[in-house]
Amino acid sequence: MNFNAIIKEVGRGARGARGLDATTAREAFAALLDGGVSDVQLGAWWLAMRIKGETPEELAAFVEATQAHLAFRVDAGGAPVAVLPCYNGARQLPNLAPLLAWALAQRGTRVLLHGVRQDPTRVTTFELFQALGFPIVQIGLEAEQALTSNDFAFAPIDVLHPKLAALLANRWRVGVRSTPHTVVKLLQPVTGPQTRVVALTHGDYIERMAAHLASHSGARAVVFRGCEGEPVLHPKRTVPVQIFRNGESLMHEWPGVAAHDLPETCDVATTVAYIESVISGQRALPAWIDWLAREVHAAAHEQTSPAG
């Protein structure tokens, strides 16, 4: 395709740029996934979309193009699954995404996490899963077995969607995140009912994500500003949490706590020790993890939970 024409449309700046129609957007993102554009074109598109932002129509088309290239989809046998995209990692507070997965499993909700293996500047959920001995899967059958036996599993994005993983990796060449980092949080890697737990870092991204989900009546998702972008709440901050299910949108709010017992560092060893102390019962499950697990469980099972 003529990718120069794509860049011309989206590269006019935040005010002058125009959104692509669905067909063009889908073809453009497919070309990016297939590596069918030059490095110069990729960099231009990457920064142009970072500045412009995705329209709901574009985002839906990008997601559609991405779904078509999944390496596998997980069949959970009809059981509801919470899907946790983990792409930001931690550099300040400990990353408790693995603890949320465990807490959801304790409530009877199966959990599939996906994300990057490493980030040179942060502690990733993958690294914590590895250190904790939690199940990491490479193919669909392994994921199905792990969800049956352990109720949760982590699928690295490079095995779940190699083409998208290669596209995401351009962050380190360009220097910033862009549209692929939004699209990956909307993946639907499960065959059957699934509730995506979408954590974002900036208000405009939350608004775009909410608009996208609101336009899909069957969407099930929990959307909020994550703790450093991972799908967990910040313990001390008030966090609005938007829940999409049954064609409706609900707004609940995590009120925050005055104090917590989290370690002062977020390295792998310290975080693992903290998570293991909760799992063994030496520490209570943190209130913000328990609150979010309740909300996600209710959304996944289409139950009503009291507003927090």
Side-chain angles (χ1 to χ4, degrees):
M1 69 181 306
N2 180 7
F3 212 82
N4 288 345
I6 302 295
I7 295 170
K8 185 176 180 180
E9 290 299 306
V10 303
R12 301 175 188 266
R15 296 183 179 180
R18 293 192 289 263
L20 304 173
D21 64 79
T23 299
T24 304
R26 185 167 52 252
E27 291 175 353
F29 207 78
L32 289 160
L33 288 169
D34 286 334
V37 302
S38 70
D39 281 355
V40 171
Q41 291 171 325
L42 171 65
W45 176 88
W46 193 276
L47 289 177
M49 291 301 299
R50 167 91 176 193
I51 294 168
K52 179 183 86 67
E54 310 84 11
T55 66
E57 188 176 30
E58 285 175 328
L59 190 53
F62 296 157
V63 171
E64 184 180 345
T66 304
Q67 283 290 126
H69 291 84
L70 276 167
F72 60 85
R73 296 186 74 180
V74 180
D75 186 351
V81 178
V83 178
L84 274 61
C86 301
Y87 289 85
N88 291 63
R91 59 183 176 187
Q92 295 178 351
L93 293 178
N95 177 359
L96 297 187
L99 186 58
L100 175 61
W102 176 85
L104 281 164
Q106 295 299 110
R107 286 181 172 268
T109 297
R110 295 181 176 182
V111 187
L112 180 66
L113 305 91
H114 60 88
V116 294
R117 296 177 189 261
Q118 293 181 320
D119 183 320
T121 65
R122 301 186 179 221
V123 175
T124 65
T125 299
F126 172 87
E127 291 170 316
L128 294 170
F129 255 67
Q130 197 172 45
L132 286 158
F134 286 177
I136 296 170
V137 301
Q138 305 294 325
I139 58 175
L141 180 59
E142 287 182 358
E144 290 159 13
Q145 292 171 342
L147 290 186
T148 299
S149 58
N150 294 85
D151 288 327
F152 61 89
F154 187 102
I157 188 61
D158 55 279
V159 299
L160 179 62
H161 202 307
K163 289 185 176 182
L164 183 55
L167 189 58
L168 290 167
N170 285 295
R171 171 200 172 187
W172 302 111
R173 295 203 296 160
V174 180
V176 294
R177 294 183 176 91
S178 189
T179 293
H181 293 85
T182 303
V183 171
V184 74
K185 294 189 177 184
L186 286 168
L187 276 186
Q188 293 181 283
V190 175
T191 300
Q194 57 198 294
T195 298
R196 288 162 288 181
V197 182
V198 183
L200 301 154
T201 53
H202 302 292
D204 54 345
Y205 289 108
I206 293 173
E207 291 173 5
R208 284 180 226 155
M209 194 70 72
H212 169 81
L213 293 166
S215 68
H216 293 71
S217 59
R220 301 184 193 182
V222 178
V223 180
F224 56 94
R225 188 187 297 272
C227 185
E228 300 188 76
E230 285 297 88
V232 288
L233 299 165
H234 192 288
K236 289 188 175 184
R237 295 175 184 165
T238 300
V239 183
V241 176
Q242 193 164 6
I243 300 160
F244 296 87
R245 66 178 187 223
N246 298 328
E248 64 177 354
S249 171
L250 307 172
M251 189 68 78
H252 289 176
E253 185 175 87
W254 162 246
V257 294
H260 58 68
D261 67 347
L262 288 175
E264 294 183 358
T265 59
C266 66
D267 60 276
V268 170
T270 301
T271 304
V272 165
Y274 180 89
I275 291 173
E276 288 180 336
S277 71
V278 175
I279 291 174
S280 67
Q282 297 175 47
R283 277 190 173 93
L285 183 66
W288 60 97
I289 297 295
D290 183 56
W291 188 94
L292 185 57
R294 179 188 60 178
E295 294 291 341
V296 173
H297 173 82
H301 294 268
E302 298 187 350
Q303 299 171 354
T304 300
S305 64

